[in-house]
Amino acid sequence: MLIGVADRKSVNVMTALENYPEIIEFSISKFWKLEELPTFNKLTEKEQKCEDYFKHTPKRDESRRFLVKIPWNDGSRDLTGSLRAATVRLTSVERRLKSHPKRQMMYTEFMEEYQMLGHMVECQNVQNSDQNICYLPHHYVIKESSSTTKLRVVFDAACKNESGNSLNDYMMTGPKLQDDLFVILIRFRRHNVAITADIEKMYRQIRVHKDDQDLQRIVWRSNCGEQLKYYKLLTVTYGTASAPYLAMKCLKQLAQDEKDHYPVGSRIADQDFYVDDLMSGGDTEEEGIIIQQEIQQLCLRGGFKLRKWSSNSQKILDKLNQTWKFNKMRR
């Protein structure tokens, strides 16, 4: 009896499965994990403490943006030498940028925008002995594939000071608040109509309480010939250990706060974000338009602006374009 190519492949697969029964067991186990209801692991003592801390501290300012306090571990903080470390790092970065004028310009533009948007302010007091003052070194990373920011300044809260500790060592990181990326992607692939976007400067839309701002100081100057200047960062800072938790917790709190006004958007905000990336959709274009409008309006209620919209539905993209033109005319 002749066996065709497709038949031979089937025979080979069946033979492999018979020889390796664990493959079948693994595949079936994976399937049922996707279908079953989510299970929630019990929080550790530290994770529960972080959750309780957030519950009793966050507020929203007059513009409805979140105002948070950094969740600190118990005990005192020794941040001796942070100013020296930050100054040495700045000098090193300036030497590297000397041979890259374009990067130097982009670095300066990034920092000037940071200040212009009110995300950092200059401070006069340069003392470094107080346990409530810390200077963060900073450097840059290049991402050529980015459609918006090619150069990003990264603040190094993991830098060890003279005592051998970093600012991150004193922070609680909180529990995991999201589904695994694999689960989110599987859920996303089930939609007939797909919608994606991301939150612009997500961390920096959340303000840090004034009691914690001096622990996010930096040293900076736009020109090597100038005197050093000292600033404090006023928003949740990329590079700090608690930043991912605080950002996701605020987004989930926003979904909870606004669920009566935006029930669809609340559900989407709670389950269809992976950090700042939205991956959602619906069965029909009409449903997709409702999802897009509700999640956009809900996010704006917390100061989060969605951008880089994309969809496989031209109808949704046209609707977005109409809204954008309308808003531009109103300005």
Side-chain angles (χ1 to χ4, degrees):
M1 180 177 66
L2 295 175
I3 299 178
V5 174
D7 292 330
R8 283 201 297 271
K9 287 182 178 178
S10 299
V11 170
N12 291 337
V13 170
M14 291 304 296
T15 303
L17 292 177
E18 288 173 2
N19 292 334
Y20 300 98
E22 63 270 17
I23 295 178
I24 299 176
E25 185 179 347
F26 174 79
S27 300
I28 293 174
S29 172
K30 197 83 172 176
F31 172 78
W32 285 116
K33 280 184 179 179
L34 290 175
E35 293 297 319
E36 67 187 7
L37 291 172
T39 56
F40 300 93
N41 295 326
K42 186 177 179 181
L43 299 181
T44 65
E45 184 180 344
K46 231 176 189 181
E47 289 172 340
Q48 186 60 58
K49 185 176 180 181
C50 192
E51 287 280 86
D52 294 340
Y53 188 84
F54 182 91
K55 184 178 179 181
H56 293 99
T57 56
K59 297 177 182 176
R60 293 173 69 181
D61 61 21
E62 62 280 358
S63 66
R64 301 189 66 81
R65 291 179 186 273
F66 282 92
L67 176 67
V68 300
K69 296 193 78 173
I70 295 173
W72 300 108
N73 288 314
D74 292 331
S76 60
R77 296 184 288 267
D78 184 356
L79 300 166
T80 308
S82 66
L83 176 57
R84 186 180 301 107
T87 306
V88 170
R89 179 76 65 85
L90 177 63
T91 305
S92 174
V93 169
E94 286 177 337
R95 281 199 301 266
R96 288 167 57 198
L97 289 174
K98 261 188 176 181
S99 56
H100 296 281
K102 186 177 179 181
R103 291 183 182 179
Q104 185 175 32
M105 180 186 69
M106 292 167 71
Y107 204 113
T108 301
E109 288 175 350
F110 187 101
M111 299 299 274
E112 287 177 347
E113 183 198 49
Y114 220 101
Q115 187 173 14
M116 181 189 68
L117 292 175
H119 297 163
M120 75 177 185
V121 294
E122 187 174 357
C123 49
Q124 304 303 321
N125 179 13
V126 193
Q127 95 181 74
N128 190 38
S129 58
D130 193 298
Q131 65 175 358
N132 289 318
I133 292 181
C134 181
Y135 288 86
L136 304 178
H138 52 87
H139 59 276
Y140 66 91
V141 294
I142 299 292
K143 189 177 181 182
E144 295 292 349
S145 60
S146 174
S147 61
T148 50
T149 308
K150 304 292 184 184
L151 180 146
R152 173 180 285 184
V153 176
V154 177
F155 301 99
D156 187 5
C159 177
K160 301 291 184 183
N161 59 22
E162 291 179 358
S163 66
N165 297 309
S166 69
L167 186 66
N168 278 349
D169 291 335
Y170 299 111
M171 290 185 190
M172 290 189 284
T173 56
K176 177 184 174 184
L177 298 175
Q178 297 176 300
D179 290 331
D180 291 333
L181 179 59
F182 177 77
V183 174
I184 295 174
L185 288 173
I186 289 295
R187 200 159 52 221
F188 174 66
R189 286 174 62 86
R190 294 170 58 189
H191 300 307
N192 293 326
V193 178
I195 301 170
T196 64
D198 74 25
I199 300 175
E200 182 179 13
K201 298 178 177 64
M202 182 183 190
Y203 291 1
R204 288 162 58 184
Q205 307 311 326
I206 305 166
R207 296 188 70 84
V208 168
H209 193 278
K210 63 180 182 180
D211 291 348
D212 293 330
Q213 290 172 2
D214 280 320
L215 288 157
Q216 297 189 148
R217 288 196 184 189
I218 64 166
V219 183
W220 167 246
R221 59 186 174 189
S222 56
N223 190 298
C224 296
E226 297 177 353
Q227 284 191 334
L228 292 175
K229 294 182 179 180
Y230 308 91
Y231 300 84
K232 55 184 175 183
L233 309 181
L234 307 182
T235 61
V236 170
T237 300
Y238 184 81
T240 55
S242 62
Y245 167 78
L246 289 172
M248 285 310 305
K249 192 65 182 177
C250 286
L251 184 61
K252 286 187 173 291
Q253 186 64 50
L254 178 65
Q256 182 68 23
D257 292 347
E258 304 294 343
K259 66 179 180 180
D260 291 339
H261 297 98
Y262 305 103
V264 175
S266 176
R267 173 177 58 82
I268 299 302
D270 188 58
Q271 69 178 28
D272 285 354
F273 273 94
Y274 189 75
V275 192
D276 59 348
D277 290 316
L278 170 68
M279 291 175 279
S280 190
D283 292 332
T284 65
E285 289 183 314
E286 289 70 26
E287 184 185 358
I289 289 173
I290 293 172
I291 288 171
Q292 184 276 320
Q293 291 177 339
E294 280 216 10
I295 189 61
Q296 184 176 42
Q297 291 166 9
L298 180 142
C299 284
L300 285 174
R301 295 272 285 193
F304 299 117
K305 180 183 177 183
L306 288 168
R307 62 176 183 174
K308 297 183 185 177
W309 288 98
S310 185
S311 176
N312 61 343
S313 164
Q314 189 59 47
K315 189 174 181 179
I316 291 176
L317 294 175
D318 290 342
K319 192 77 174 177
L320 278 163
N321 195 38
Q322 290 172 10
T323 303
W324 181 80
K325 286 181 178 178
F326 176 73
N327 290 335
K328 189 176 181 183
M329 287 175 62
R330 289 180 64 185
R331 295 194 199 105

